[in-house]
Amino acid sequence: MANRMGYLSCLDTVKPVRDAIEVINGKWKLPIIISVMTGNERFTDIQESIPGITPKVLAKELKDLEQHQLIKRVVIEDYPVRILYKPEPYADTLTPIIEALKGWGLNHRRRIFSKA
Amino acid sequence: MANRMGYLSCLDTVKPVRDAIEVINGKWKLPIIISVMTGNERFTDIQESIPGITPKVLAKELKDLEQHQLIKRVVIEDYPVRILYKPEPYADTLTPIIEALKGWGLNHRRRIFSKA
DNA sequence: TATTCCACTTTCCTTTTGGAAAGCACTTTA
DNA sequence: TAAAGTGCTTTCCAAAAGGAAAGTGGAATA
């Protein structure tokens, strides 16, 4: 028997959107990328620029982002050793997503307050 | 003593982005919105249009999306009763986000395959 | 010498998310 | 009459995400 297949296929959009979500999932990845792209380079600075993030979460997310080649961890052999996080060029490709989310978030907040 | 405040503030961007993420968080919300906006109206059709989603998760996410006024649940008093999910106009405002994610996801997949 | 800074790690715990499977009340279809 | 469809809910459970707090080892600072 053939499939029912009564539904409309939306896989052309759903699949790539899911691929993107897999990379930038969670509460923290985009905030971290934004912070690093803004110019924060050191662990403590990144941490302090993002309210509420704990060092454990930050360390884990930084590793994830490095694996996806969105940031790189640079070790400066000095006394003492310094560690810097820099955005990779690939991180720039996320700018349209970040801008779209920022615009939507600003509008959403206005919408919520105008109701209340 | 004054704060260290050595970091660069990125809150102007981080805060609205976080507001947006809070609404569309998780693996499923955007796929469901895409499916409903494509024209899938019935529970089973939405479920079948999104590979891997279970009825439990779909039911819960539909409720969340209804609360955020992104979709509405319409009860048609027929014999038998039919239930339809329709996009609210507010869902349209997510289109730029969806398009940005779709474009990035397509490019990301090409990038991954060209390396391998 | 004591404190602070830096970049984390470790432990413990709670919450959230997700998945598999079954069930249910009803209706339609074969 | 039996099977299948509809729109879910329920139960059980595993994995992932997230948070609080403390610790660590070296180096710089007061």
Side-chain angles (χ1 to χ4, degrees), chain A residues 13-33:
Chain A
T13 302
V14 166
K15 277 167 62 171
V17 166
R18 288 190 55 168
D19 289 343
I21 289 173
E22 255 180 63
V23 175
I24 57 165
N25 61 356
K27 285 166 68 175
W28 302 113
K29 291 207 183 64
L30 286 178
I32 292 166
I33 287 172

Side-chain angles (χ1 to χ4, degrees), chain B residues 18-113:
Chain B
R18 287 190 56 168
D19 288 341
I21 289 173
E22 252 180 64
V23 176
I24 57 164
N25 60 357
K27 287 165 68 173
W28 302 112
K29 290 206 182 65
L30 286 177
I32 292 167
I33 286 172
I34 292 164
S35 178
V36 172
M37 286 177 64
T38 301
N40 292 302
E41 300 191 313
R42 314 205 45 182
F43 192 91
T44 313
D45 287 341
I46 299 167
Q47 189 185 331
E48 287 175 2
S49 74
I50 301 171
I53 199 166
T54 61
K56 189 187 82 168
V57 169
L58 179 55
K60 186 236 175 203
E61 300 287 49
L62 284 171
K63 281 172 196 155
D64 284 5
L65 294 173
E66 216 192 328
Q67 280 210 355
H68 285 295
Q69 306 184 41
L70 290 163
I71 61 172
K72 62 169 178 282
R73 185 178 187 270
V74 183
V75 181
I76 301 205
E77 294 293 354
D78 222 348
Y79 300 102
V81 183
R82 284 196 308 146
I83 292 168
L84 302 182
Y85 294 93
K86 308 246 196 188
E88 295 268 20
Y90 193 38
D92 288 337
T93 64
L94 291 172
T95 303
I97 294 172
I98 291 168
E99 287 303 313
L101 288 166
K102 178 181 180 178
W104 195 88
L106 286 168
N107 183 66
H108 186 64
R109 181 167 285 264
R110 273 197 299 275
R111 177 183 160 100
I112 296 221
F113 276 112

Side-chain angles (χ1 to χ4, degrees), chain A residues 37 69-72 86-94, chain B residues 111:
Chain A
M37 285 177 62
Q69 306 185 40
L70 291 164
I71 60 172
K72 61 170 177 279
K86 309 246 195 187
E88 294 268 20
Y90 193 37
D92 288 336
T93 64
L94 291 173
Chain B
R111 177 183 160 100

Side-chain angles (χ1 to χ4, degrees), chain A residues 4 11 16-17 20 22 35-37 43 66-67 69 75-78 83 90 92-93 97 107 113:
Chain A
R4 221 180 45 90
L11 285 182
V17 166
E22 255 180 63
S35 177
V36 172
M37 285 177 62
F43 192 92
E66 216 193 327
Q67 279 208 358
Q69 306 185 40
V75 182
I76 302 205
E77 293 294 354
D78 222 347
I83 291 170
Y90 193 37
D92 288 336
T93 64
I97 294 172
N107 184 66
F113 276 111

Side-chain angles (χ1 to χ4, degrees), chain A residues 5 13 24 44-45 62 66 74 89 92 94 99-100 103 110 115:
Chain A
M5 187 49 187
T13 302
I24 57 165
T44 312
D45 287 341
L62 284 171
E66 216 193 327
V74 182
D92 288 336
L94 291 173
E99 288 303 312
R110 273 197 300 274
K115 296 209 167 175

